Coordinates of all heavy atoms in Angstrom, one line a residue:
T261 N 113.1 140.0 125.8 CA 112.3 141.3 125.5 C 110.8 141.0 125.6 O 110.3 140.0 125.3 CB 112.7 141.9 124.1 OG1 112.4 140.9 123.2 CG2 114.1 142.2 124.1
T262 N 110.1 142.1 126.1 CA 108.6 141.9 126.2 C 108.0 142.0 124.8 O 108.4 142.8 124.0 CB 108.1 143.0 127.1 OG1 108.6 143.0 128.3 CG2 106.6 142.9 127.2
F263 N 107.1 141.1 124.6 CA 106.5 141.1 123.2 C 105.1 141.7 123.4 O 104.3 141.4 124.3 CB 106.3 139.5 122.8 CG 106.2 139.4 121.3 CD1 107.3 139.5 120.5 CD2 104.9 139.2 120.8 CE1 107.1 139.3 119.1 CE2 104.8 139.1 119.4 CZ 105.9 139.1 118.6
P264 N 104.7 142.6 122.5 CA 103.5 143.4 122.6 C 102.2 142.6 122.3 O 101.3 142.9 121.5 CB 103.7 144.5 121.5 CG 104.5 143.8 120.5 CD 105.5 142.9 121.2
I265 N 102.0 141.4 123.0 CA 100.7 140.7 123.0 C 100.3 140.4 124.3 O 101.1 139.9 125.2 CB 101.0 139.4 122.2 CG1 101.2 139.6 120.7 CG2 99.7 138.4 122.3 CD1 100.0 140.1 119.9
E266 N 99.0 140.6 124.7 CA 98.5 140.5 126.0 C 98.6 139.0 126.3 O 98.1 138.1 125.6 CB 97.1 141.0 126.1 CG 96.5 140.9 127.5 CD 95.1 141.4 127.6 OE1 94.6 142.0 126.6 OE2 94.4 141.2 128.6
A267 N 99.0 138.6 127.5 CA 99.2 137.2 128.0 C 98.0 136.8 128.7 O 98.1 136.4 129.9 CB 100.5 137.0 128.7
G268 N 96.8 136.9 128.2 CA 95.6 136.5 128.9 C 95.4 135.0 129.0 O 96.2 134.3 128.3
S269 N 94.5 134.5 129.8 CA 94.4 133.1 129.9 C 93.9 132.4 128.7 O 94.2 131.2 128.5 CB 93.4 132.8 131.1 OG 92.1 133.4 130.7
E270 N 93.2 133.1 127.8 CA 92.8 132.5 126.6 C 93.7 132.8 125.4 O 93.4 132.3 124.3 CB 91.3 132.9 126.2 CG 90.3 132.5 127.3 CD 90.3 131.0 127.5 OE1 90.5 130.3 126.5 OE2 90.1 130.5 128.7
N271 N 94.7 133.6 125.6 CA 95.5 134.0 124.5 C 96.7 133.0 124.3 O 97.3 132.5 125.3 CB 96.2 135.3 124.8 CG 97.0 135.9 123.7 OD1 98.1 135.5 123.4 ND2 96.4 136.9 123.0
R272 N 96.9 132.6 123.1 CA 97.9 131.6 122.8 C 98.5 131.8 121.4 O 98.0 132.5 120.5 CB 97.3 130.2 122.8 CG 96.1 130.0 121.8 CD 95.3 128.7 122.0 NE 94.2 128.6 121.1 CZ 94.2 128.1 119.9 NH1 95.3 127.6 119.4 NH2 93.1 128.1 119.1
L273 N 99.8 131.3 121.3 CA 100.5 131.3 120.1 C 100.1 130.1 119.3 O 100.4 128.9 119.7 CB 102.0 131.3 120.3 CG 102.9 131.3 119.1 CD1 102.6 132.5 118.2 CD2 104.4 131.3 119.5
V274 N 99.5 130.2 118.1 CA 99.0 129.1 117.3 C 100.1 128.5 116.5 O 100.3 127.3 116.5 CB 97.8 129.6 116.4 CG1 97.4 128.4 115.5 CG2 96.7 130.1 117.2
S275 N 100.9 129.3 115.7 CA 101.9 128.8 114.9 C 102.9 129.9 114.5 O 102.6 131.1 114.6 CB 101.3 128.1 113.6 OG 100.7 129.0 112.8
T276 N 104.1 129.4 114.1 CA 105.1 130.4 113.7 C 105.7 129.9 112.3 O 105.9 128.7 112.1 CB 106.3 130.4 114.7 OG1 105.8 130.8 116.0 CG2 107.4 131.4 114.3
N277 N 105.9 130.8 111.4 CA 106.5 130.5 110.1 C 107.9 131.2 110.1 O 108.0 132.5 109.9 CB 105.6 131.0 109.0 CG 106.1 130.5 107.7 OD1 107.3 130.7 107.2 ND2 105.2 129.7 107.0
V278 N 108.9 130.5 110.2 CA 110.3 131.0 110.2 C 110.6 131.6 108.9 O 111.3 132.6 108.8 CB 111.3 130.0 110.6 CG1 112.7 130.5 110.6 CG2 111.0 129.4 112.0
T279 N 110.1 131.0 107.8 CA 110.4 131.4 106.4 C 110.0 132.9 106.2 O 110.7 133.7 105.6 CB 109.7 130.5 105.4 OG1 110.2 129.2 105.6 CG2 110.1 131.0 104.0
T280 N 108.8 133.3 106.7 CA 108.3 134.6 106.5 C 108.4 135.5 107.7 O 108.1 136.7 107.7 CB 106.7 134.5 106.2 OG1 106.1 133.9 107.2 CG2 106.5 133.7 104.9
G281 N 108.9 134.9 108.8 CA 109.1 135.7 110.0 C 107.8 136.2 110.6 O 107.6 137.3 111.1
M282 N 106.7 135.3 110.5 CA 105.3 135.7 111.0 C 104.9 134.7 112.0 O 105.3 133.6 112.1 CB 104.3 135.6 109.7 CG 104.7 136.7 108.6 SD 103.7 136.3 107.1 CE 102.0 136.4 107.7
M283 N 104.0 135.3 112.9 CA 103.5 134.5 114.0 C 101.9 134.7 114.1 O 101.4 135.8 113.8 CB 104.1 135.0 115.3 CG 105.6 135.0 115.4 SD 106.4 135.7 116.8 CE 106.1 134.4 118.0
L284 N 101.3 133.6 114.3 CA 99.8 133.6 114.4 C 99.4 133.4 115.8 O 99.7 132.4 116.5 CB 99.2 132.5 113.5 CG 97.7 132.3 113.4 CD1 97.0 133.6 112.8 CD2 97.3 131.1 112.6
W285 N 98.5 134.3 116.3 CA 98.1 134.3 117.7 C 96.5 134.1 117.7 O 95.9 134.5 116.7 CB 98.4 135.6 118.4 CG 99.9 135.9 118.4 CD1 100.6 136.5 117.4 CD2 100.8 135.7 119.5 NE1 101.9 136.6 117.7 CE2 102.1 136.1 119.0 CE3 100.7 135.2 120.7 CZ2 103.2 136.1 119.8 CZ3 101.9 135.1 121.5 CH2 103.1 135.5 121.1
A286 N 96.0 133.7 118.8 CA 94.5 133.5 118.9 C 94.1 133.8 120.3 O 94.8 133.6 121.3 CB 94.1 132.1 118.5
D287 N 92.9 134.5 120.4 CA 92.2 134.6 121.7 C 90.8 134.2 121.5 O 90.4 133.5 120.5 CB 92.3 136.0 122.2 CG 91.8 137.1 121.3 OD1 90.9 136.8 120.4 OD2 92.2 138.3 121.4
D288 N 89.8 134.6 122.4 CA 88.5 134.2 122.3 C 87.8 134.7 121.1 O 86.8 134.1 120.5 CB 87.7 134.6 123.5 CG 88.0 133.7 124.7 OD1 88.5 132.6 124.5 OD2 87.8 134.2 125.9
E289 N 88.1 135.9 120.6 CA 87.4 136.5 119.5 C 88.1 136.6 118.2 O 87.4 136.8 117.2 CB 87.1 137.9 120.0 CG 86.2 138.0 121.3 CD 86.0 139.4 121.7 OE1 86.6 140.3 121.2 OE2 85.2 139.6 122.7
K290 N 89.4 136.6 118.2 CA 90.0 136.9 116.9 C 91.4 136.2 116.8 O 91.9 135.7 117.8 CB 90.3 138.4 116.7 CG 91.2 139.0 117.7 CD 91.2 140.5 117.6 CE 92.1 141.2 118.7 NZ 91.6 140.9 120.0
Y291 N 91.9 136.2 115.6 CA 93.3 135.8 115.3 C 94.1 137.0 115.0 O 93.6 138.0 114.3 CB 93.4 134.8 114.1 CG 92.9 133.5 114.4 CD1 91.5 133.2 114.2 CD2 93.7 132.5 114.9 CE1 91.1 131.9 114.5 CE2 93.2 131.2 115.0 CZ 91.9 130.9 114.9 OH 91.5 129.6 115.1
I292 N 95.4 137.1 115.5 CA 96.2 138.2 115.2 C 97.5 137.7 114.5 O 98.1 136.7 115.0 CB 96.6 139.0 116.5 CG1 95.3 139.6 117.1 CG2 97.6 140.1 116.2 CD1 95.5 140.3 118.5
I293 N 98.0 138.4 113.5 CA 99.2 138.1 112.9 C 100.3 139.1 113.1 O 100.0 140.3 112.9 CB 99.0 137.8 111.4 CG1 97.9 136.8 111.2 CG2 100.3 137.5 110.7 CD1 97.5 136.7 109.7
T294 N 101.4 138.7 113.6 CA 102.5 139.6 113.9 C 103.8 139.1 113.2 O 103.9 138.0 112.8 CB 102.8 139.8 115.4 OG1 103.3 138.5 115.9 CG2 101.4 140.0 116.2
S295 N 104.7 140.0 113.2 CA 106.1 139.7 112.8 C 106.8 139.2 114.1 O 106.3 139.3 115.2 CB 106.8 140.9 112.2 OG 107.1 141.8 113.2
T296 N 108.0 138.6 113.9 CA 108.7 138.1 115.1 C 109.3 139.3 115.8 O 109.8 139.0 117.0 CB 109.8 137.1 114.6 OG1 110.6 137.7 113.6 CG2 109.2 135.8 114.1
S297 N 109.3 140.4 115.3 CA 109.7 141.6 116.0 C 108.5 142.3 116.8 O 108.8 143.3 117.5 CB 110.4 142.6 115.1 OG 109.4 143.0 114.1
G298 N 107.4 141.8 116.6 CA 106.2 142.3 117.4 C 105.3 143.2 116.6 O 104.3 143.7 117.2
D299 N 105.6 143.5 115.4 CA 104.7 144.4 114.6 C 103.4 143.6 114.2 O 103.4 142.5 113.8 CB 105.4 144.8 113.2 CG 106.6 145.7 113.5 OD1 106.6 146.4 114.6 OD2 107.6 145.6 112.7
I300 N 102.3 144.3 114.4 CA 101.0 143.6 114.1 C 100.7 143.8 112.6 O 100.6 144.9 112.1 CB 99.8 144.2 114.9 CG1 100.0 143.9 116.4 CG2 98.5 143.7 114.4 CD1 99.0 144.5 117.3
L301 N 100.6 142.7 111.9 CA 100.5 142.7 110.4 C 99.0 142.6 110.0 O 98.7 143.0 108.9 CB 101.2 141.5 109.8 CG 102.8 141.5 110.2 CD1 103.4 140.2 109.5 CD2 103.5 142.7 109.7
G302 N 98.1 142.1 110.8 CA 96.8 141.9 110.4 C 96.0 141.2 111.5 O 96.6 140.6 112.4
S303 N 94.7 141.2 111.4 CA 93.8 140.4 112.3 C 92.7 139.8 111.5 O 92.3 140.3 110.5 CB 93.3 141.3 113.4 OG 92.4 142.3 112.9

Side-chain angles (χ1 to χ4, degrees):
T261 57
T262 300
F263 202 80
I265 291 291
E266 182 181 352
S269 59
E270 298 300 326
N271 188 282
R272 59 191 174 89
L273 177 59
V274 177
S275 62
T276 301
N277 190 304
V278 178
T279 302
T280 60
M282 295 167 59
M283 305 172 74
L284 179 64
W285 305 78
D287 58 22
D288 285 340
E289 299 177 353
K290 61 184 179 301
Y291 287 88
I292 298 175
I293 301 171
T294 71
S295 67
T296 52
S297 60
D299 298 326
I300 295 179
L301 305 177
S303 65

